[in-house]
Amino acid sequence: MYRKILLAVDGSRSADLALTEAARIAKAMGAEVEVLFVADDSDVFLGAPHFDPTKLRQGIVALGHRTLRAAGETLEAEGVRATTRLLEQPVAPGKFAATIVAEADRWGADLIAMGTHGRRGINRVVMGSVSEGVIRATTTPVLLTRAPGEE
C-alpha cells in the first residue's frame, strides 16, 4: 500500500500522465503526494558565447512554479493531499535522477511517479534518460508514463 508518492514533473505531456496516475493511486489509497520540479540549467548551453544564463534560470524557475501550481490545483480538485517543492539546487549539476532519488529518500516516499520521454538512439545517448537513472539508483518502486508519440 502506498502512503507517500513523490511525483517528479517537468511540464511535459508524459509528466501530466504521471500526475493523472499518481492522483488515481493516491485517491484510492489515501496517500499524499509531493510534487517535485528540479530547476537545473547546468547542462544547457554550457560555455555558449553571448548567452545570458540568468534569463534561462529565471525561465526554468518560472516554468517550475507554473507546473507545480497546475499540478497542485489538479490534485486538490481530486481531493488528494499534496505539497509542492521546487528544488533550485540539485544534488550535483545535471544530476536530475540523483536529485529525484535523494528527495524521495528524504521525504520517505514509497512510490516515485514520473513521465519518460522514451528517447532512443542518439537522442538517448546525447540527452540521457532521467527515468532510467532513477530506476537504477533507487529501491523505491517507480511508476513511469509515456505520452503517445513523445520522443
Side-chain angles (χ1 to χ4, degrees):
M1 185 168 234
Y2 300 117
R3 290 284 175 217
K4 293 178 120 183
I5 301 169
L6 180 79
L7 171 63
V9 295
D10 61 3
S12 67
R13 291 184 304 148
S14 60
D16 289 344
L17 291 174
L19 168 63
T20 300
E21 292 304 313
R24 183 177 298 151
I25 294 167
K27 203 169 177 180
M29 298 193 168
E32 63 183 302
V33 176
E34 179 182 294
V35 188
L36 175 68
F37 187 99
V38 180
D40 180 16
D41 63 353
S42 60
D43 285 347
V44 183
F45 302 114
L46 286 176
H50 311 294
F51 176 71
D52 181 1
T54 305
K55 288 190 185 221
L56 174 64
R57 173 158 283 293
Q58 290 170 344
I60 292 171
V61 169
L63 171 64
H65 285 300
R66 285 191 309 271
T67 302
L68 291 172
R69 184 174 44 254
E73 290 170 357
T74 298
L75 292 167
E76 183 180 346
E78 290 292 324
V80 174
R81 289 176 296 138
T83 57
T84 61
R85 184 171 170 99
L86 185 125
L87 288 179
E88 292 189 53
Q89 298 298 320
V91 168
K95 301 292 184 184
F96 289 94
T99 303
I100 292 166
V101 171
E103 180 61 16
D105 290 346
R106 181 201 69 77
W107 189 58
D110 46 26
L111 177 67
I112 299 170
M114 61 189 298
T116 182
H117 299 286
R119 293 185 180 102
R120 292 187 282 279
I122 193 68
N123 284 338
R124 185 163 168 262
V125 170
V126 172
M127 301 185 78
S129 172
V130 174
S131 57
E132 182 179 345
V134 168
I135 291 168
R136 288 179 187 267
T138 190
T139 57
T140 302
V142 179
L143 170 70
L144 297 177
T145 58
R146 180 171 167 213
E150 199 171 79
E151 179 177 341

